[in-house]
Amino acid sequence: DAGITQSPRHKVTETGTPVTLRCHQTENHRYMYWYRQDPGHGLRLIHYSYGVKDTDKGEVSDGYSVSRSKTEDFLLTLESATSSQTSVYFCAISAGPSTDTQYFGPGTRLTVL
Amino acid sequence: LAKTTQPISMDSYEGQEVNITCSHNNIATNDYITWYQQFPSQGPRFIIQGYKTKVTNEVASLFIPADRKSSTLSLPRVSLSDTAVYYCLVVPVGSGNTGKLIFGQGTTLQVKP
């Protein structure tokens, strides 16, 4: 399995609090992605990164920000969590964008009360 | 990105061959067809990818007709452990591709004993 870890794996927080999820990889892959998965919606891309300090928005980026200061770490921040952001969050990595396989992390289950 | 359509769910029994068909009528010339598998409480995992005709690996076969408007994922002799959600994706190749993937809702395959 690709070396991808996510932390925390589970988190419960309250509405209005900031939350940061971390994705760490040991594969030295250039591309990193954050997805959320909700019942009835499959996986939806939030943000992605194509290099250190290079990021762009996905289809559901509102309410989320990301940062990538090192190749191995990609952080997802919810500045002020809302109940609609209760979801399972997956990080993924790939060596290149084209048809390269994306490898997914184990996921973080976030509950916003 | 080309939209894909696949059945929401399928049932099968152990030992049977399972074929999941995906429709992608608007596929572009530079698009590849890719399938991912997701087990409960895990991130998706790449299964197979192809451009045309037939591709086979140790897990599955992928059949793509000449017009490429559909594809069929074939799982030989399924077991209970093949119970999962299967996603069909169309992935563009080329310098403009950022690696964004559209997963859709996938097909939930339930294998029964």
Side-chain angles (χ1 to χ4, degrees):
Chain A
D1 290 339
I4 311 170
T5 56
Q6 293 184 230
S7 58
R9 294 293 313 280
H10 302 272
K11 186 172 182 65
V12 180
T13 191
E14 293 187 350
T15 298
T17 60
V19 176
T20 296
L21 307 182
R22 179 184 184 231
C23 178
H24 179 77
Q25 60 145 329
T26 58
E27 306 297 321
N28 200 37
H29 281 356
R30 180 181 173 191
Y31 288 78
M32 297 185 75
Y33 311 84
W34 276 108
Y35 294 87
R36 61 177 289 174
Q37 185 169 37
D38 306 290
H41 287 280
L43 284 94
R44 294 181 290 175
L45 181 66
I46 306 171
H47 282 279
Y48 68 97
S49 169
Y50 47 96
V52 173
K53 299 192 190 309
D54 292 323
T55 65
D56 203 352
K57 297 178 179 180
E59 61 178 313
V60 289
S61 59
D62 287 348
Y64 301 95
S65 63
V66 290
S67 65
R68 191 169 178 201
S69 59
K70 299 184 292 185
T71 298
E72 57 266 34
D73 289 326
F74 192 32
L75 304 181
L76 177 71
T77 297
L78 292 66
E79 300 291 347
S80 179
T82 67
S83 58
S84 65
Q85 293 176 312
T86 292
S87 186
V88 179
Y89 292 85
F90 288 101
C91 172
I93 64 173
S94 70
S98 184
T99 54
D100 278 9
T101 300
Q102 289 194 13
Y103 298 94
F104 285 78
T108 293
R109 183 172 294 277
L110 176 67
T111 302
V112 183
L113 302 175
Chain B
L1 295 173
K3 178 180 170 60
T4 61
T5 303
Q6 54 184 121
I8 295 295
S9 64
M10 293 181 69
D11 288 340
S12 182
Y13 291 93
E14 284 190 291
Q16 290 187 335
E17 178 184 73
V18 171
N19 295 309
I20 305 174
T21 297
C22 177
S23 171
H24 27 79
N25 290 319
N26 296 321
I27 191 168
T29 303
N30 63 338
D31 287 342
Y32 275 70
I33 298 151
T34 307
W35 286 79
Y36 280 78
Q37 174 191 55
Q38 185 178 23
F39 296 115
S41 302
Q42 295 185 25
R45 184 181 72 159
F46 171 87
I47 303 177
I48 197 165
Q49 182 179 80
Y51 185 79
K52 60 181 178 180
T53 64
K54 177 183 175 181
V55 179
T56 297
N57 62 22
E58 65 278 5
V59 177
S61 295
L62 178 60
F63 298 91
I64 306 169
D67 66 6
R68 302 198 331 120
K69 293 185 183 299
S70 67
S71 59
T72 299
L73 174 73
S74 181
L75 305 173
R77 293 186 299 279
V78 295
S79 64
L80 296 176
S81 62
D82 291 315
T83 293
V85 179
Y86 293 83
Y87 296 96
C88 167
L89 295 85
V90 171
V91 182
V93 181
S95 60
N97 177 29
T98 57
K100 293 181 179 180
L101 301 180
I102 306 297
F103 273 83
Q105 296 194 45
T107 297
T108 299
L109 173 65
Q110 179 70 51
V111 179
K112 302 175 182 179

